Amino acid sequence: MKDPRLRLLAVAALSVAAFHSVPGALFALLWWLVFGRRTAVPPAVALFLGVTTVLAALAASASGGDGPSYLVRCGAVFVIAAHAHAAQRDGDLLDLGAWLGNRAGCPRAGFDLGLVGELALGSIAAAADDLERIRFAAEQKGSGPVSRWVAVGTALLFAELRRSRDLARNLAVRGYHGGGRHDPVFSSPIADLPAAVAAISVLIAAILAPHEFFILSL
Amino acid sequence: MTAIILERVVIERGPLRLEGDLRLGPGLHAVTGRVGSGKSTLALALAGGIRPAAGTVRLEGIGRRLWVGHDPVVHLTGGTVAAEVASWRVEPDSLLSSLGLADRARDDPFHLSLGMQKRLVLGCALAARADLLVLDEPFASLDLPARARLERALTARDGTTVVMTHADRHLPPGTTRWRIEGGRVRPEGP
């Protein structure tokens, strides 16, 4: 999907549908199979998300909750999130925020909202690089697993705070005082309409689906 | 005699692809290249932090490898400056005196300025006596006296030292120079 407005709408609908119920999660996964492009998620991230989901499901089961349902629903949410992340292009959030602000009559607030989104996404990429370097640096010293992860957490937090401060200074030095004006131009949304309509249909189906038809129902 | 030898090595990281056949023997080597050319990626690969997608990395006479990134914060694990030095398996008192940080021994290393953090981490790495030392942009964030001290320390070091840098004017005579261009690491001559 090239139009960020429709992509955001689809991702929001699919995420709500997937977390709402097991049928919704299955419908969302079906949508991903039909419309989602192949998403390249680093193996370490996929492993981390997979293990986290399974552990959370086991914990839910052990505490009397519905572990299998949680596993399917959260798994589907992660798949949709990975698809959204892979489909994201630089400037999408700024375009989206500015468009929303322009439509709502508050262009400066929309610009700020979009800029915050872009900066947040940029910092995620930078944090992933930092994480790799901090982990390797601690490994070189022969730190044990516990102290290694404590070091990773501390250094990562500090590095992100310093990057944010430096970025804020750079913006201020270059005359940014909040808000701006941007009139984004989007490619024709016609090609994205089927995927967007299908995503809304998934949400409606998830809400209306008779849960008893499914083996893994809530 | 120490050397790291890369034979038909291919390193891939996201959209970046680096190829090279190189032998880095004893002494000081400098790798230059434009921003984004892959210097930091090559530094991690030399130190063993990234596994090449193809080719072979051979080590001769190298036991301990150490990498120092351009941001010193990624290396800080000690609760105090003295503990940070000890975490590199280096005796703190004499090193902190030589770095001019003796009076900060009990401070949190995160509370030091960026330049002090850089001096601390580089001092520890140089004192740790690794057979292969890989430094990514070591001259950045250092003042002129500290840069001059680093130049002298790099010249005096045993083993193989590889420096990734933009600031090649700080490199001492006799440095073996390499350049990354078009995804290949090529020799530039001494």
Side-chain angles (χ1 to χ4, degrees):
Chain A
M1 298 180 78
K2 290 182 178 171
D3 190 319
R5 299 166 298 178
L6 291 179
R7 195 188 318 130
L8 181 71
L9 180 70
V11 167
L14 292 167
S15 301
V16 173
F19 199 73
H20 177 265
S21 63
V22 170
L26 296 177
F27 286 141
L29 288 173
L30 184 64
W31 181 96
W32 176 72
L33 287 172
V34 175
F35 295 104
R37 65 176 189 180
R38 291 185 183 282
T39 46
V41 180
V45 175
L47 182 68
F48 174 75
L49 292 178
V51 169
T52 305
T53 311
V54 169
L55 289 177
L58 288 174
S61 288
S63 59
D66 191 347
S69 163
Y70 185 85
L71 181 66
V72 173
R73 288 182 294 133
C74 270
V77 169
F78 282 141
V79 167
I80 297 301
H83 163 72
H85 184 67
Q88 186 75 30
R89 294 179 186 83
D90 287 347
D92 272 358
L93 289 180
L94 182 60
D95 286 349
L96 193 62
W99 177 78
L100 281 171
N102 294 347
R103 300 274 293 184
C106 45
R108 292 174 70 86
F111 184 93
D112 271 345
L113 185 69
L115 185 63
V116 167
E118 287 293 331
L119 295 178
L121 272 185
S123 69
I124 289 174
D129 280 348
D130 284 343
L131 182 64
E132 185 185 20
R133 290 182 168 90
I134 294 165
R135 187 194 54 74
F136 181 57
E139 198 179 297
Q140 286 188 135
K141 290 183 178 179
S143 309
V146 174
S147 57
R148 189 180 304 170
W149 283 107
V150 170
V152 164
T154 311
L156 192 60
L157 179 65
F158 189 88
E160 294 314 306
L161 286 172
R162 193 165 70 190
R163 183 173 293 116
S164 301
R165 185 195 61 197
D166 292 347
L167 186 60
R169 278 185 185 159
N170 285 342
L171 283 170
V173 164
R174 293 176 186 197
Y176 181 79
H177 297 294
R181 178 83 202 187
H182 173 48
D183 294 308
V185 178
F186 298 101
S187 58
S188 168
I190 302 297
D192 292 336
L193 274 179
V197 170
I200 299 294
S201 305
V202 164
L203 178 59
I204 294 169
I207 292 167
L208 299 180
H211 293 184
E212 60 272 21
F213 286 2
F214 292 85
I215 298 167
L216 289 168
S217 62
L218 269 171
Chain B
M1 177 79 91
T2 57
I4 179 167
I5 300 138
L6 278 64
E7 294 171 331
R8 292 189 295 280
V9 160
V10 177
I11 303 160
E12 291 177 340
R13 203 171 188 219
L16 182 74
R17 181 185 164 91
L18 269 182
E19 294 177 24
D21 268 294
L22 52 154
R23 178 191 173 87
L24 304 169
L28 181 59
H29 299 260
V31 181
T32 58
R34 61 174 176 74
V35 173
S37 60
K39 295 191 296 296
S40 296
T41 301
L42 178 63
L44 277 171
L46 290 171
I50 296 176
R51 191 172 294 181
T56 313
V57 177
R58 285 197 297 119
L59 302 174
E60 287 181 1
I62 291 176
R64 190 174 187 199
R65 289 190 273 181
L66 261 185
W67 159 85
V68 176
H70 59 83
D71 184 353
V73 163
V74 304
H75 294 276
L76 301 180
T77 54
T80 63
V81 171
E84 177 57 31
V85 177
S87 74
W88 292 76
R89 288 178 260 167
V90 173
E91 201 282 309
D93 289 345
S94 58
L95 181 71
L96 289 177
S97 296
S98 68
L99 293 174
L101 293 171
D103 58 335
R104 307 296 301 267
R106 291 184 181 179
D107 289 351
D108 187 332
F110 285 100
H111 291 164
L112 299 179
S113 70
L114 180 59
M116 285 178 176
Q117 287 174 346
K118 190 96 180 189
R119 264 160 51 205
L120 175 66
V121 167
L122 285 171
C124 291
L126 286 161
R129 299 188 183 282
D131 303 305
L132 171 64
L133 180 61
V134 184
L135 306 176
D136 191 1
E137 297 292 356
F139 298 104
S141 311
L142 294 181
D143 56 21
L144 287 175
R147 287 181 183 189
R149 280 198 298 275
L150 177 60
E151 268 186 63
R152 289 196 294 276
L154 291 175
T155 311
R157 220 187 79 80
D158 291 330
T160 300
T161 310
V162 187
V163 170
M164 311 287 163
T165 184
H166 284 102
D168 55 357
R169 65 184 179 281
H170 294 291
L171 296 170
T175 303
T176 307
R177 291 164 187 262
W178 305 80
R179 184 163 183 82
I180 301 179
E181 219 162 49
R184 288 201 67 88
V185 190
R186 303 171 195 276
E188 270 201 332

